[in-house]
Amino acid sequence: MKLVPRRSNERGHADHGWLKTFHTFSFARQVFPGRFHESCLNLNILDSYHDPEHDHFGCLRVINEDRVAPHTGFGTHAHREFEIFSYVVSGELEHRDSMGNVEVMKRGDLQMTSAGTGIRHSEYSHGEKQVHFLQIWSVPSTRGLTPQYFTRHFSDEEKKDRWAHVVAPVDAPGVVEKREASGPAPVHSPLNLFATLLSPAKSLAHSFLSPSVQRKGYIHVVQTSGYNPGEASGAQIRVTGAGGGPIDLWEGDGAYILAAPGEELKVENVGSKVAEVLLFDME
């Protein structure tokens, strides 16, 4: 297993006043030819970060950690040919789209939009508090899909010191392709996402899913203690794999993972705070 750290202060980041954001991968206009339209044209956000060495990983294309001030947000804009999901950490996020969906999402909610041939949507901070959420994009395995919308909810208790399986391929066992249901949200990409709230001194293991194909993974520690563009701090985990690591990660840090079939990753909370951790397991 190979583990390569992606430090928080090496990510792209910007403070637009109403929006404080980090970009794990390049998030610039020139890397979305023919795919991204009219999105945030007046905000100069798309030109904020371009790094060809951190462009994508497997089917994973975007991990943006956003904080949006009350009564502000992303106006109506268009997407196509991406699977777009929002993982709400705190506050409330209001979603509206051209499919007629209107929803206010809270902590624990995960919203998935399969943009397919094209949708338009807006995302605003709802209420009097800042909303903190991660917007994640993956590349679908099939182009030209009919747009779809899904919502799932996962309580803190479901994540406490265990992996909650929050996103899974649409054809995986137990995945329900309905707007609202229990279990993982369906994604049209070879990607699984797990989330945990890991207590101090607790540890979890994860065996990469495929029995025969090398896997890619990415682990991210959510920056729950506040926007910090400097050196990472807060909750601390230690990540170890077969022949890889250990490496220590703090809030905002992440790591690329290359794993042989069935290899096990160990994640241990070695700090004094609960760590909110996302783990991607991909082809």
Side-chain angles (χ1 to χ4, degrees):
M1 184 179 293
K2 185 176 182 179
L3 304 172
V4 181
R6 175 73 164 132
R7 297 299 176 189
S8 181
N9 59 355
E10 296 172 354
R11 295 184 291 172
H13 64 86
D15 184 347
H16 296 276
W18 67 273
L19 169 67
K20 295 176 172 62
T21 182
F22 286 93
H23 309 310
T24 294
F25 301 111
S26 283
F27 199 66
R29 187 185 306 277
Q30 60 265 39
V31 299
F32 293 100
R35 292 184 176 182
F36 202 90
H37 302 273
E38 303 158 12
S39 184
C40 312
L41 290 181
N42 297 321
L43 305 175
N44 203 31
I45 291 171
L46 295 183
D47 298 315
S48 62
Y49 177 59
H50 177 60
D51 182 348
E53 293 187 3
H54 298 281
D55 181 77
H56 71 285
F57 194 56
C59 63
L60 191 57
R61 185 59 191 83
V62 169
I63 303 176
N64 288 353
E65 189 164 358
D66 293 338
R67 289 173 170 80
V68 180
H71 310 297
T72 66
F74 302 94
T76 302
H77 56 280
H79 297 278
R80 68 168 182 252
E81 303 300 353
F82 277 108
E83 305 288 283
I84 301 169
F85 37 114
S86 298
Y87 177 98
V88 181
V89 180
S90 63
E92 297 182 347
L93 180 68
E94 181 183 283
H95 169 98
R96 295 175 180 267
D97 65 39
S98 54
M99 295 180 281
N101 298 295
V102 179
E103 189 163 18
V104 175
M105 292 170 288
K106 302 177 182 179
R107 173 164 178 77
D109 288 342
L110 185 139
Q111 174 266 319
M112 169 74 73
T113 299
S114 180
T117 54
I119 58 100
R120 295 177 63 83
H121 73 168
S122 63
E123 297 158 301
Y124 280 90
S125 180
H126 180 82
E128 301 303 319
K129 295 182 179 180
Q130 168 188 269
V131 63
H132 175 198
F133 70 107
L134 280 84
Q135 185 171 129
I136 301 158
W137 300 7
S138 67
V139 179
S141 301
T142 303
R143 294 177 63 86
L145 295 168
T146 300
Q148 291 178 281
Y149 179 90
F150 307 100
T151 303
R152 299 291 185 267
H153 179 80
F154 302 92
S155 68
D156 284 359
E157 188 61 32
E158 290 176 273
K159 301 174 190 174
K160 184 179 179 182
D161 300 327
R162 56 182 170 176
W163 294 117
H165 198 173
V166 300
V167 175
V170 65
D171 57 353
V175 175
V176 180
E177 200 172 3
K178 292 183 179 180
R179 187 189 188 283
E180 295 187 23
S182 59
V187 65
H188 296 88
S189 306
L191 175 152
N192 290 270
L193 174 59
F194 301 86
T196 187
L197 295 170
L198 194 59
S199 304
K202 295 289 187 178
S203 64
L204 286 173
H206 173 76
S207 295
F208 282 85
L209 297 178
S210 173
S212 59
V213 180
Q214 186 179 52
R215 303 294 289 184
K216 292 184 173 75
Y218 191 83
I219 191 166
H220 177 76
V221 186
V222 180
Q223 202 179 66
T224 54
S225 59
Y227 177 75
N228 172 24
E231 187 173 345
S233 59
Q236 179 185 3
I237 65 170
R238 182 164 295 152
V239 183
T240 310
I247 60 171
D248 285 4
L249 304 174
W250 287 261
E251 291 182 12
D253 285 345
Y256 297 103
I257 304 165
L258 293 173
E263 272 192 316
E264 186 174 273
L265 182 79
K266 181 182 178 182
V267 181
E268 180 184 6
N269 188 332
V270 294
S272 60
K273 299 180 179 180
V274 173
E276 186 156 7
V277 181
L278 300 183
L279 176 62
F280 298 85
D281 183 338
M282 304 170 284
E283 288 184 4

